[in-house]
Amino acid sequence: MIVAAIIFIILGILIKYGKMYWLIAGYNTMPKEEKEKYNIEGIANLFRNVMFGMALIIISGYLIAELTENPNIQNYAFWTSMIIGIPYLLIKSNSNKYKIKN
């Protein structure tokens, strides 16, 4: 589970600070004119925050599972982070908040 959390942290860092926007599905296949209609910096901030949040939930679940000696808790934490994080990311990133108004 820690490996999954580290992957999310790395992805968040790469997208936000490494400007590897091609890691964002859909954005990488847009024509240049379409890409200019989006605030990619805002979307990158959102991706970083959600990835870090998901990693935090996973790490917390792992630590609680270790403290309580109940390995099921880390599975619950992982799936909770997926069930909350992915839809939140999809809904927020596709909202009009990140479209540039002309």
Side-chain angles (χ1 to χ4, degrees):
M1 290 299 164
I2 297 297
V3 172
I6 291 170
I7 290 171
F8 285 132
I9 292 169
I10 290 170
L11 283 173
I13 290 170
L14 289 176
I15 290 171
K16 173 60 183 160
Y17 302 110
K19 298 188 185 291
M20 295 189 174
Y21 305 136
W22 56 270
L23 291 171
I24 301 172
Y27 185 78
N28 59 347
T29 59
M30 283 182 187
K32 184 176 177 157
E33 302 81 35
E34 191 71 21
K35 288 180 182 179
E36 292 172 355
K37 296 179 183 178
Y38 289 91
N39 174 5
I40 192 61
E41 289 294 322
I43 294 172
N45 278 335
L46 175 68
F47 267 77
R48 179 203 57 205
N49 294 342
V50 172
M51 294 291 170
F52 284 9
M54 291 170 69
L56 180 66
I57 292 170
I58 293 169
I59 291 168
S60 299
Y62 173 79
L63 293 174
I64 293 169
E66 289 295 315
L67 289 172
T68 61
E69 297 178 1
N70 183 354
N72 290 329
I73 293 174
Q74 63 184 344
N75 291 328
Y76 298 143
F78 176 80
W79 289 110
T80 300
S81 74
M82 293 297 130
I83 291 169
I84 294 171
I86 293 172
Y88 180 80
L89 186 60
L90 291 173
I91 291 167
K92 288 292 278 186
S93 65
N94 287 308
S95 70
N96 288 333
K97 180 179 180 179
Y98 299 106
K99 289 187 179 178
I100 297 173
K101 295 166 181 69
N102 294 338

